[in-house]
Amino acid sequence: MCGRMAVTLPHDAMAQIFAAAPANALPRVPNYNVCPTNDVHIVTGGDDQGQRRLGAMRWGFVPHWYKKPGDGPLLINARAETIAEKPAFRSAAQERRGIIVATGFYEWTKDEDGGRDPWYITRRDGAPLAFAAVWQDWQHPDTGDRLRSCAVVTCAANRPMQVIHHRMPVVLEPKDWPLWLGEAGKGAATLMVPAAEDALTWHRVSRTVNSNRAEGAELIAPV
C-alpha cells in the first residue's frame, strides 16, 4: 500500500535524473505530505522524438467510465497481481505506464492502544524512489474537460517491510525504467515484484503527519 509520500527533490534534479523534459507547471517542492487527490510528479515515456516528460497528474486514478472524478472509489493504488484483469487498469497497464517520483513514503502500524504510529520509508542508498504507476487521460462526458490521473502499482511486501505492512509500492531500479516506460520492448509485467530486501530503510516519525493538513520538514524527522 502507499497512501502518503514526500517529495523534496528540485524539479531540475528530477528532470536530470530521469532524463525527462519538465512541464511548465509542476507540483510544489518540497512537499513533505503529498496526499491522495494531490498532484504528483510523474515521468512518462518518450514522445515521437524519444523525449521523456516530467509532468503532474492527480493521484487517484479516474477510470474512463466515471462521469466525474468522485464517481466511485478513490483508486490511489493498483494491485500488481490483478492489474492486467481489472477493467479500471487493464488498458493503462498495457499502454499508459509511468514513474511517480518521491523521496520517501509513509506507512502506519498500530500500538497496543490502537493508535496509529507513522513510519517514513526511503531508499537506503539515498536515491529517489521511482514507483511503478499507471495513468489515465479522463474526459468529462458533458464539459469535455480533461484530467490526467494516476495510481501507484503495489505488490506484496518484501520480508523486512512486512514488519510494517503486508503491501508495498513497486520500486523500480534505474536499469528497469526503459522497460516499464515502454521504451525497451515488452516484459514490463516481470518488474512488478517486491524491492530487494536491502533496498529500503525506515524510521518512526511524529504522529503530526497523521493529519493530511500537516506540513514541514519536521514531518520526516525521526522520533
Side-chain angles (χ1 to χ4, degrees):
M1 173 128 181
C2 180
R4 211 84 70 77
M5 64 182 80
V7 183
T8 62
L9 281 171
H11 294 149
D12 56 351
M14 283 188 247
Q16 183 176 4
I17 290 168
F18 289 90
N24 291 329
L26 290 169
R28 66 178 175 88
V29 288
N31 185 348
Y32 297 91
N33 196 6
V34 182
C35 303
T37 74
N38 290 167
D39 282 352
V40 293
H41 297 81
I42 184 168
V43 177
T44 50
D47 56 20
D48 293 340
Q49 288 73 46
Q51 177 65 68
R52 293 174 183 167
R53 298 289 295 176
L54 173 65
M57 292 189 195
R58 176 190 187 262
W59 184 16
F61 191 97
V62 182
H64 67 84
W65 62 81
Y66 278 23
K67 295 182 179 180
K68 56 183 184 295
D71 210 25
L74 181 60
L75 305 176
I76 62 171
N77 295 153
R79 293 176 65 94
E81 298 87 345
T82 58
I83 195 171
E85 306 163 6
K86 293 290 186 181
F89 301 121
R90 185 169 53 220
S91 176
Q94 295 174 350
E95 304 170 5
R96 295 183 300 280
R97 299 188 298 271
I99 297 173
I100 292 176
V101 186
T103 308
F105 68 102
Y106 301 93
E107 271 301 349
W108 282 261
T109 56
K110 287 187 177 181
D111 65 16
E112 57 189 17
D113 297 319
R116 298 178 72 236
D117 291 325
W119 299 79
Y120 183 61
I121 304 156
T122 61
R123 284 190 63 112
R124 190 178 297 275
D125 60 10
L129 288 160
F131 295 149
V134 290
W135 61 274
Q136 175 82 342
D137 193 359
W138 176 83
Q139 186 172 10
H140 194 287
D142 298 322
T143 66
D145 292 341
R146 305 187 80 91
L147 174 67
R148 285 195 166 183
S149 62
C150 59
V152 175
V153 180
T154 65
C155 61
N158 61 23
R159 184 182 55 82
M161 186 73 189
Q162 290 172 12
V163 175
I164 299 177
H165 201 278
H166 67 284
R167 304 287 297 177
M168 69 183 300
V170 171
V171 178
L172 300 170
E173 297 296 331
K175 64 181 178 59
D176 297 323
W177 297 348
L179 184 57
W180 183 255
L181 292 175
E183 302 166 348
K186 299 184 181 297
T190 63
L191 304 178
M192 293 188 288
V193 295
E197 293 193 352
D198 61 350
L200 303 179
T201 185
W202 49 83
H203 58 262
R204 271 280 313 280
V205 293
S206 168
R207 288 186 179 182
T208 304
V209 77
N210 291 3
S211 168
N212 59 14
R213 294 185 295 274
E215 295 184 355
E218 65 273 13
L219 297 183
I220 65 172
V223 298

